[in-house]
Amino acid sequence: MKSVNAPIMKKDAMALVTGKPVYTDDIAPKDCLVCKILRSPHAHALIEEINTDIAMKVPGIECILTYEDVPDKRFTMAGQTYPEPSPYDRLILDRRVRFVGDAVAIVAGKTEEAVEKALKLIKVKYEVLEAVLDFHQAKDAKILVHPEENWKALCDVGADNKRNLCATGSEQNGDVDKILEDCDYVVEGTYHTQANQQAMMETFRTYTYMDTYGRLNVVSSTQITFHVRRILANALDIPKSQIRVIKPRIGGGFGAKQTVITEVYPAIVTMKTGKPAKIVYTREESQIASSPRHEMEVTVRVGANKEGKIRAIDVYTLSNTGAFGEHGPTTVGLSGHKSIPMYGQAEAFRFAYDVVYTNKMSSGAYRGYGATQGIFAVESAVNELAAKMQMDPVELRLKNIVREGDVMPAYYGETANSCALDRCLLRAKEMIDWEKKYPARDMGNGKVRGVGVAMAMQGSSISKVDHASVSIKVNDDGFYSLMIGASDMGTGCDTILAQMAADCMDCSADDFIVHGVDTDISPYDSGSYASSTTYLTGMAVVKACDSLREKILAQGAKYLECDVEEVDFDGQKVFMRSKDVSISLKEIGNRVMTNNEEALVAAGAHSSPVSPPPFMVGMAEVEVDKETGKVELIDYAAVVDCGTVVNPNLARIQTEGGIAQGIGMALYENVVYNEKGQCLSNSFMQYKIPSRMDVGDIRVEFESSYEPTGPFGAKSIGEVVINTPSPAIAHAVYNATGVQIKELPITSEKVYMGMQNNEN
């Protein structure tokens, strides 16, 4: 391999660092109508009257749309493969508003100033209804978030809008209760994770226009280009053939843009007016009306014998989907399916869950996608078990972890064909100097330092569901065009796919021009989510390259006037093995442009029956001030098994970024509501995310395994990297103070009060 496993610079690096206009708002026409949303001040209400007459008289206002002006057709904004597991519970605009910030009207005008003025002049009379704000009380409550009759679920996920249930289910292997009764040690705990905002730099934004042929063109910062087309067709009640979606560069997504947050609003304006329109969310809108991580409460029971063998794990998850069900039925599954299987020696497991509607901001996809919440709970419970047994938590894990070749009953019965989790544990232990630092050290200045450990796993695409395809063509002069449908959201997928293609074709990654996603041109791809691109789209690249090589060989043999069995291809030329005769790829590329009936184009598609998990171990060292409870992260050592590392630089950045986000979730981030359901965390002044000064020293290494079903042995890395900081930091705080934090974030107040309670 020359390109794979090489630290090649991202293809768009220079354009981005030199400030080229590549993002949605950069390239939107200057004469676009500006769209903004009038939002509900109530958590639950019915619109009795809405008067737009005065607002329409504001100079420059083009149109104002209410629920009476849009299709009465339910859809989901969740970017998922059809049929979507998420219920069809939305309208573009609805008479019933379900959270503070829900859309009431769309205002479009020639200037932002005119639109802002018009928003203030719209008069709305509401019938304020009682709201469901506590997700513990939502299931079977007398107040229904979705009482409408045209609500529907396409998949059997246990959804029932008459019970405020977005999903419910359970599964079991073995007699969990009986085995737990027979265990020598059992711990039980309930762990609460708050909603978290993805906080990407580029907020949600879209612009739309009608083309010469009367088709709706949508340019949007999205991870799910093809799903956007389907969702808009549903919402607008028009054929997919009348919609084209284009993805420019994305300024971060982290799952937030796996939901169609903004696209429907300028789209309906353009359809009504025939004019280009755009919407750019403010940071406040992105904080109060978007798609944060699902708030979850996870109850765990885990039992072991005296020798330290974990015999049974029982997990129940209560998930708050908010006002709408985007990703509600799917995120919850990962809270059990990506936490329980790490303990592959257990005799039995049970996993049950409820996902409930409430009158809070709708939740959605965020890196880790439910696994993050479940891993915080299960890993914390295992650390508590180790403390109860007075056993080193690293040793407890080494006795129980899944190993290469093991069948994982709690992970859909898949086999761990590649797994270096044991080596990750041992390497991280060495990096953090565990033997010397565990459990804690008194620094002699009123401060104490503790260390903590956690493991994580994720997946690589959604097995038997996700689909990726690519096409590659040889151009004149012999360079290649690589057409992909996967959305590069800053992670560098354009680059790593070119690296794989380069090794397949024995050339340089610079020989490939990678074309971004356009639904009229690109081959179909489910989208950039579920850690799918490297693993799934990478295999499609390998297949396309294999096919293209055969075509190049056939064309070269034709020009050399010999049988194809007599020639080979070295990336630069087709040559006869028995003679010193060859023809360059450059010449082939130019000659096929005339008098030729065979296009040098190949396509490849891939869908996987399995989803091989990447694994990770994170170890944290924290310093706690015993007088104030303040927690400072000193050191974080991480070791990742993502199979073959395709691009070490990009993989390292992915890991460091994911850990930083996980640190934010552990120590700082909190979505706070008041008693009326208003989100108070509406800016970065209130919603704190960590800066570079807050994350300590992050050190990353890789333990390679080889995944036989992946391209060049690769697995995913995008999501697994966010999952270890919360449980590892919580464990380190416990070892330093004896305070077990079960509700994130870990604040100074919680630590201090916990220490006071321990003393009393």
Side-chain angles (χ1 to χ4, degrees):
M1 298 185 297
K2 295 180 180 178
S3 292
V4 170
N5 202 230
I8 291 172
M9 186 173 72
K10 284 179 61 182
K11 283 187 168 289
D12 59 356
M14 292 307 297
L16 298 181
V17 300
T18 55
K20 301 296 183 185
V22 296
Y23 298 106
T24 300
D25 197 33
D26 295 334
I27 58 180
K30 300 302 180 186
D31 61 348
C32 270
L33 295 177
V34 175
C35 300
K36 287 187 176 292
I37 308 299
L38 178 68
R39 301 191 179 278
S40 169
H42 305 294
H44 196 194
L46 289 174
I47 298 172
E48 291 187 333
E49 296 176 15
I50 183 164
N51 190 317
T52 62
D53 293 345
I54 299 175
M56 276 300 300
K57 294 178 181 178
V58 173
I61 293 301
E62 191 74 25
C63 74
I64 299 176
L65 305 177
T66 71
Y67 70 90
E68 295 177 331
D69 304 309
V70 300
D72 183 24
K73 185 180 179 184
R74 300 260 165 208
F75 65 99
T76 177
M77 286 186 176
Q80 298 172 310
T81 298
Y82 182 86
E84 304 98 325
S86 298
Y88 279 26
D89 55 13
R90 275 196 189 258
L91 297 176
I92 299 174
L93 297 170
D94 201 333
R95 185 176 172 234
R96 181 183 295 268
V97 289
R98 295 176 174 83
F99 69 97
V100 176
D102 203 355
V104 172
I106 308 167
V107 180
K110 294 179 180 178
T111 66
E112 187 170 346
E113 292 76 15
V115 173
E116 292 282 7
K117 184 175 181 180
L119 283 170
K120 297 173 183 176
L121 296 174
I122 299 173
K123 304 299 181 183
V124 186
K125 181 180 178 182
Y126 296 96
E127 177 191 349
V128 180
L129 305 173
E130 189 176 352
V132 183
L133 298 176
D134 185 345
F135 75 136
H136 299 95
Q137 301 171 4
K139 182 179 175 180
D140 294 322
K142 68 179 187 343
I143 306 156
L144 294 181
V145 179
H146 284 278
E148 63 270 13
E149 294 302 321
N150 59 351
W151 176 100
K152 65 179 179 180
L154 276 64
C155 298
D156 183 12
V157 294
D160 186 346
N161 62 317
K162 303 303 183 184
R163 300 181 62 199
N164 282 336
L165 275 176
C166 180
T168 186
S170 64
E171 60 185 276
Q172 184 169 336
N173 181 55
D175 193 332
V176 172
D177 293 323
K178 183 178 179 180
I179 292 174
L180 284 173
E181 286 177 9
D182 191 45
C183 285
D184 298 307
Y185 297 94
V186 177
V187 297
E188 179 174 355
T190 298
Y191 307 85
H192 185 199
T193 60
Q194 304 283 354
N196 302 120
Q197 285 287 358
Q198 297 87 348
M200 60 281 172
M201 286 190 291
E202 183 197 34
T203 60
F204 303 93
R205 52 198 61 196
T206 303
Y207 84 85
T208 56
Y209 62 95
M210 304 299 288
D211 66 17
T212 307
Y213 307 102
R215 297 173 71 223
L216 176 66
N217 282 234
V218 180
V219 181
S220 191
S221 180
T222 180
Q223 300 171 222
I224 46 163
T225 317
F226 283 91
H227 292 333
V228 169
R229 182 174 64 182
R230 180 183 68 250
I231 293 166
L232 288 178
N234 286 339
L236 301 170
D237 203 17
I238 60 176
K240 291 181 189 176
S241 60
Q242 292 301 302
I243 302 173
R244 176 190 184 190
V245 184
I246 303 165
K247 178 209 75 72
R249 286 290 157 201
I250 303 178
F254 309 119
K257 295 170 183 175
Q258 197 191 335
T259 302
V260 177
I261 299 294
T262 54
E263 285 83 349
V264 293
Y265 303 122
I268 190 72
V269 168
T270 291
M271 288 190 63
K272 294 283 186 179
T273 65
K275 297 182 178 181
K278 75 172 181 179
I279 189 167
V280 176
Y281 268 24
T282 63
R283 180 58 61 185
E284 180 181 5
E285 288 179 296
S286 294
Q287 291 292 116
I288 68 166
S290 54
S291 57
R293 187 186 299 283
H294 286 76
E295 175 188 20
M296 291 188 187
E297 188 176 83
V298 184
T299 300
V300 181
R301 290 194 299 160
V302 58
N305 62 19
K306 292 178 180 177
E307 288 72 37
K309 180 186 177 185
I310 294 175
R311 299 185 60 199
I313 303 176
D314 187 11
V315 173
Y316 169 73
T317 301
L318 178 63
S319 178
N320 184 2
T321 194
F324 300 98
E326 281 97 15
H327 302 280
T330 42
T331 51
V332 71
L334 276 67
S335 68
H337 293 140
K338 302 294 170 70
S339 57
I340 301 170
M342 291 189 292
Y343 297 94
Q345 313 306 315
E347 300 166 44
F349 78 89
R350 178 168 53 210
F351 173 43
Y353 55 85
D354 289 310
V355 184
V356 294
Y357 284 113
T358 63
N359 290 114
K360 289 186 176 179
M361 175 179 19
S362 179
S363 297
Y366 184 3
R367 191 181 205 165
Y369 201 81
T372 317
Q373 297 95 307
I375 286 171
F376 169 64
V378 170
E379 287 298 278
S380 293
V382 169
N383 284 330
E384 289 183 53
L385 179 66
K388 191 171 186 177
M389 298 175 67
Q390 296 184 327
M391 179 180 287
D392 186 318
V394 175
E395 294 305 313
L396 180 61
R397 285 174 169 81
L398 286 170
K399 286 175 179 286
N400 291 283
I401 57 172
V402 63
R403 295 176 185 267
E404 196 159 285
D406 287 353
V407 175
M408 299 175 284
Y411 190 61
Y412 320 108
E414 287 191 22
T415 299
N417 292 318
S418 58
C419 178
L421 187 53
D422 53 347
R423 300 201 304 275
C424 290
L425 264 171
L426 294 172
R427 181 68 189 115
K429 180 180 178 180
E430 181 182 327
M431 289 170 66
I432 206 80
D433 199 3
W434 183 267
E435 296 287 356
K436 179 181 176 182
K437 296 178 179 179
Y438 172 77
R441 297 173 295 153
D442 194 318
M443 306 307 292
N445 58 352
K447 298 180 180 180
V448 60
R449 291 189 178 185
V451 290
V453 59
M455 308 186 306
M457 62 177 279
Q458 199 75 34
S460 301
S461 79
I462 305 173
S463 60
K464 303 174 186 176
V465 173
D466 284 349
H467 170 89
S469 53
V470 303
S471 65
I472 308 175
K473 68 174 181 176
V474 178
N475 299 295
D476 42 336
D477 274 1
F479 68 95
Y480 300 96
S481 291
L482 174 60
M483 312 292 289
I484 66 173
S487 298
D488 191 327
M489 51 177 167
T491 53
C493 80
D494 289 4
T495 305
I496 63 169
L497 293 174
Q499 287 179 253
M500 294 183 198
D503 273 357
C504 289
M505 302 305 294
D506 292 313
C507 62
S508 166
D510 291 335
D511 292 330
F512 286 86
I513 306 299
V514 185
H515 194 282
V517 193
D518 179 335
T519 55
D520 276 6
I521 300 169
S522 304
Y524 180 83
D525 192 289
S526 301
S528 292
Y529 60 89
S531 301
S532 62
T533 308
T534 298
Y535 176 75
L536 203 71
T537 313
M539 279 304 297
V541 167
V542 171
K543 289 180 176 180
C545 287
D546 288 346
S547 178
L548 186 59
R549 284 185 74 100
E550 292 180 6
K551 291 190 173 186
I552 292 171
L553 284 167
Q555 197 70 34
K558 176 183 175 182
Y559 291 145
L560 293 176
E561 299 180 343
C562 64
D563 293 334
V564 71
E565 291 80 11
E566 298 179 65
V567 298
D568 210 339
F569 177 56
D570 65 3
Q572 302 298 317
K573 62 185 181 300
V574 174
F575 60 93
M576 292 183 66
R577 289 188 292 270
S578 60
K579 299 179 183 178
D580 188 18
V581 178
S582 65
I583 181 171
S584 69
L585 181 62
K586 178 178 179 179
E587 187 174 350
I588 292 173
N590 289 322
R591 286 183 64 175
V592 295
M593 300 301 166
T594 57
N595 191 27
N596 174 52
E597 297 181 1
E598 182 66 38
L600 288 187
V601 179
H606 190 64
S607 186
S608 178
V610 295
S611 178
F615 297 95
M616 178 179 177
V617 171
M619 292 190 180
E621 182 177 10
V622 303
E623 183 171 89
V624 182
D625 188 323
K626 291 188 287 186
E627 291 189 0
T628 64
K630 180 182 178 183
V631 178
E632 181 182 355
L633 182 63
I634 302 298
D635 190 16
Y636 202 93
V639 186
V640 185
D641 162 24
C642 59
T644 298
V645 179
V646 178
N647 187 312
N649 281 359
L650 296 183
R652 188 174 304 280
I653 290 168
Q654 281 267 51
T655 307
E656 292 171 351
I659 290 170
Q661 285 182 312
I663 292 167
M665 177 180 177
L667 294 175
Y668 304 104
E669 299 177 40
N670 194 10
V671 176
V672 178
Y673 289 85
N674 67 12
E675 69 281 358
K676 294 184 178 180
Q678 180 184 6
C679 180
L680 303 178
S681 308
N682 59 5
S683 79
F684 286 156
M685 293 297 289
Q686 287 77 30
Y687 185 80
K688 301 296 186 181
I689 60 174
S691 72
R692 182 64 188 88
M693 301 296 290
D694 301 312
V695 297
D697 187 15
I698 299 175
R699 296 178 291 134
V700 175
E701 293 190 7
F702 299 95
E703 278 289 341
S704 294
S705 61
Y706 186 88
E707 174 51 48
T709 66
F712 299 91
K715 298 185 286 189
S716 75
I717 194 172
E719 292 181 276
V720 70
V721 293
I722 199 173
N723 293 333
T724 59
S726 291
I729 292 170
H731 187 216
V733 169
Y734 170 78
N735 284 331
T737 65
V739 177
Q740 184 70 55
I741 302 294
K742 296 184 179 182
E743 181 177 38
L744 298 178
I746 303 166
T747 62
S748 301
E749 292 83 355
K750 291 176 186 176
V751 176
Y752 178 80
M753 295 307 297
M755 288 191 293
Q756 297 305 305
N757 291 336
N758 286 348
E759 289 180 6
N760 297 332

